Amino acid sequence: MTRTDLGMPAFPPSPAFPPFPEAAAEAVRDEVLRANLRRATHTIRDKRARAVTELADWDRLRAAGKAIKDHTLRHLDHYLLQLEAAVTAAGGTVHWAADAEEANRIVTALVLATGAREVVKVKSMATQEIGLNEALEAAGIAAYETDLAELIVQLGHDRPSHILVPAIHRNRDEIRDIFLSEMGSWGRPAPEGLGDDPRELAEAARLHLREKFLRAEVAVSGANFMVAETGTMVVLESEGNGRMCLTLPDTLISVVGIEKVVPTFRDLEIFLQTLPRSSTAERMNPYTTMWTGTAADDGPSAFHLVLLDNGRTDTLADETGRQALRCIRCSACLNVCPVYERAGGHAYGSVYPGPIGAVLSPQLRGTDSAIDATLPFASTLCGACYEVCPVAIDIPEVLVHLRERVAQGGPATREGVRVRLRPAHGHTAERAAMRAARLLLDHPGALRAGERLLARARRLRPRRLPGPGRAWTATRDLPDLPAEPFRDWWLRERGTRG
């Protein structure tokens, strides 16, 4: 049985993502996309800035969140085993998945064992990472996204473009058209004469999803946090769809990255303050759902936790890159990034777009593909992402670290094995230029002679560089050359050699 047999459109095939420069070049020509992104990101980041300034101890909360995450990552083996014991003692079942294939196989088998042929989903970035919807479809199981923005993306046969607001690239007119044309193929159709008022759109989505909530036997979720001490799963959301998914079905399957664990229940005190303010600019999120195993006559009767590695252990082995695993998925870095604002999320070719995606995806997936080899260069290194990160991830530091890995090669961990990576294709000229620059800077006499030669030949300066330099000057003009080198000017004006 396929999705078409279930009376629903088939999922589009996964595209082969182009390198970031190509995808971004196409995106920046889309004026509607840029307008949607500019309006949304500016609104969110302005609200966040006001929300953060309300807390006099924000810097201390940020430092505390960083410390908790770093401590947990250093002792991840201990806390994961503690979590497994706590979940099992509370009536849940823990499964370990080394990669996407294993996680998909586990979840598919669990759903098939219930006899269900559809699932509702919430807080599911990890399942998007592993392509779970496509794996379920191949087994004849329909997966319905219940977050409003995720629903828009799914109905539009689209991909998420933002961590917090997956449909940020859509405006109200586009959403209305999607609802009118697609809802009927997936369940309850949109009301006739649907307008573009946000309240009308939300009501159409609520009616469409309600029938799915009431008949669903299986739900698939992610989690914002897992508490090792108690085995508690924590989901923060704004619409109430999570509460419906996490309480109504008989079986609940949570797919969660291993980095989401925190040691104690008290640790949540920090993140329940920093995450809402950094993501939705709220003092407190509208819905915080917590569950610990199963309980008689309350919520699902079966709970399964799938702990997902999928490159996280390899990332943990990198002393510089591992700080990306602190991420609590607030999306603040996306909303201040000048590159994301212009290129949008699709250009990153990953479920994790923006600055955090530029450092996380190449570590989880490796840098073998063209898209992952170019992601570390998708940044101006302005540092705005670091300034707003609620767990102080130094994204510019990791970007430079990964750029060196791509351009120079070097040691890395792949599937638990220490390997030495070769330099990525296309950086030969860059490495040669850096070697030449180092040689020149080590010999002041040669540098001075070169500066004088360039000054005298400045009228011959081309507007664009030939050969490998074309990529650099395709979007930049070469700077004007001065009439004389700075050292010569200094000697003439001051009478001393600089």
Side-chain angles (χ1 to χ4, degrees), residues 53-224:
T53 56
E54 292 179 352
L55 295 180
D57 61 346
W58 178 260
D59 287 342
R60 285 180 288 170
L61 287 170
R62 186 176 188 242
K66 173 183 181 295
I68 291 169
K69 282 290 190 175
D70 282 345
H71 168 80
T72 308
L73 291 173
R74 284 195 300 270
H75 304 282
L76 192 57
D77 53 346
H78 166 75
Y79 288 118
L80 288 175
L81 292 176
Q82 184 183 9
L83 174 71
E84 179 185 34
V87 170
T88 303
T93 304
V94 177
H95 309 263
W96 298 79
D99 53 28
E101 182 180 358
E102 186 173 11
N104 288 333
R105 186 168 61 248
I106 291 169
V107 176
T108 301
L110 290 173
V111 177
L112 291 175
T114 68
R117 288 300 179 268
E118 60 182 30
V119 301
V120 289
K121 295 179 64 193
V122 65
K123 278 291 177 184
S124 54
M125 289 195 73
T127 66
Q128 294 167 3
E129 174 189 328
I130 63 177
L132 178 63
N133 284 9
E134 291 79 0
L136 292 175
E137 179 203 356
I141 301 167
Y144 299 104
E145 301 291 349
T146 66
D147 176 88
L148 175 57
E150 294 284 6
L151 174 66
I152 294 167
V153 168
Q154 187 176 42
L155 291 177
H157 307 281
D158 203 349
R159 291 183 289 117
S161 64
H162 192 277
I163 290 176
L164 177 67
V165 194
I168 195 172
H169 56 293
R170 298 290 193 183
N171 59 40
R172 291 185 294 176
D173 289 339
E174 292 173 313
I175 294 169
R176 178 201 57 207
D177 294 343
I178 289 171
F179 280 9
L180 287 171
S181 64
E182 299 294 334
M183 267 188 173
S185 300
W186 295 73
R188 178 170 178 157
E192 292 186 12
L194 178 67
D196 64 356
D197 184 271
R199 290 170 295 185
E200 288 187 61
L201 297 172
E203 178 65 8
R206 187 187 71 81
L207 295 173
H208 176 80
L209 291 170
R210 182 56 59 96
E211 64 175 10
K212 293 178 170 51
F213 289 135
L214 293 178
R215 73 169 184 246
E217 298 177 9
V218 180
V220 175
S221 85
N224 293 97

Side-chain angles (χ1 to χ4, degrees), residues 414-437:
R414 290 288 179 267
E415 298 182 358
V417 178
R418 198 68 173 166
V419 299
R420 188 164 190 85
L421 301 178
R422 294 181 178 179
H425 175 72
H427 291 270
T428 303
E430 178 185 345
R431 291 194 299 275
M434 290 300 102
R435 285 195 295 268

Side-chain angles (χ1 to χ4, degrees), residues 31 60 63 82 97 135 140 206 219-220 234 258 285 321 332 353 382 399 424 427 468 480 492 494:
E31 294 184 4
R60 285 180 288 170
Q82 184 183 9
R206 187 187 71 81
V220 175
V234 185
I258 56 176
N285 58 289
C382 68
L399 286 168
H427 291 270
D480 292 330
R492 176 168 51 80
R494 302 296 177 91

Side-chain angles (χ1 to χ4, degrees), residues 147-447:
D147 176 88
L148 175 57
E150 294 284 6
L151 174 66
I152 294 167
V153 168
Q154 187 176 42
L155 291 177
H157 307 281
D158 203 349
R159 291 183 289 117
S161 64
H162 192 277
I163 290 176
L164 177 67
V165 194
I168 195 172
H169 56 293
R170 298 290 193 183
N171 59 40
R172 291 185 294 176
D173 289 339
E174 292 173 313
I175 294 169
R176 178 201 57 207
D177 294 343
I178 289 171
F179 280 9
L180 287 171
S181 64
E182 299 294 334
M183 267 188 173
S185 300
W186 295 73
R188 178 170 178 157
E192 292 186 12
L194 178 67
D196 64 356
D197 184 271
R199 290 170 295 185
E200 288 187 61
L201 297 172
E203 178 65 8
R206 187 187 71 81
L207 295 173
H208 176 80
L209 291 170
R210 182 56 59 96
E211 64 175 10
K212 293 178 170 51
F213 289 135
L214 293 178
R215 73 169 184 246
E217 298 177 9
V218 180
V220 175
S221 85
N224 293 97
F225 307 102
M226 306 181 290
V227 182
E229 177 184 48
T230 61
T232 302
M233 305 289 115
V234 185
V235 162
L236 282 67
E237 43 110 3
S238 300
E239 301 167 13
N241 59 305
R243 189 69 54 87
M244 302 286 279
C245 286
L246 300 168
T247 56
L248 292 178
D250 295 327
T251 300
L252 173 58
I253 305 168
S254 297
V255 182
V256 190
I258 56 176
E259 81 280 13
K260 295 296 186 70
V261 65
V262 296
T264 69
F265 201 84
R266 186 174 182 177
D267 293 327
L268 293 176
E269 175 189 358
I270 302 297
F271 301 112
L272 292 183
Q273 294 183 77
T274 56
L275 179 53
R277 289 177 186 268
S278 275
S279 57
T280 57
E282 295 170 299
R283 297 181 180 91
M284 182 177 181
N285 58 289
Y287 296 92
T288 299
T289 304
M290 303 184 186
W291 69 98
T292 306
T294 59
D297 302 322
D298 183 18
S301 59
F303 169 58
H304 297 271
L305 172 61
V306 181
L307 292 172
L308 177 68
D309 188 324
N310 204 39
R312 287 160 173 79
T313 300
D314 291 344
T315 304
L316 187 64
D318 188 322
E319 292 186 6
T320 301
R322 72 172 59 145
Q323 59 184 299
L325 297 178
R326 290 187 214 140
C327 179
I328 58 175
R329 309 291 191 266
C330 71
S331 76
C333 61
L334 280 69
N335 300 323
V336 298
C337 178
V339 176
Y340 174 85
E341 180 185 324
R342 289 157 178 80
H346 291 161
Y348 292 81
S350 168
V351 66
Y352 306 114
I356 188 61
V359 296
L360 188 59
S361 298
Q363 294 191 88
L364 296 180
R365 303 188 303 201
T367 54
D368 296 332
S369 69
I371 180 64
D372 289 312
T374 55
L375 282 180
F377 299 88
S379 173
T380 64
L381 300 180
C382 68
C385 51
Y386 170 66
E387 295 298 325
V388 299
C389 178
V391 286
I393 302 171
D394 193 341
I395 292 178
E397 178 187 33
V398 184
L399 286 168
V400 172
H401 171 66
L402 293 176
R403 289 180 182 187
E404 181 182 5
R405 177 182 295 176
V406 170
Q408 302 288 352
T413 302
R414 290 288 179 267
E415 298 182 358
V417 178
R418 198 68 173 166
V419 299
R420 188 164 190 85
L421 301 178
R422 294 181 178 179
H425 175 72
H427 291 270
T428 303
E430 178 185 345
R431 291 194 299 275
M434 290 300 102
R435 285 195 295 268
R438 182 172 61 188
L439 181 65
L440 192 62
L441 293 172
D442 282 344
H443 296 81
L447 176 62

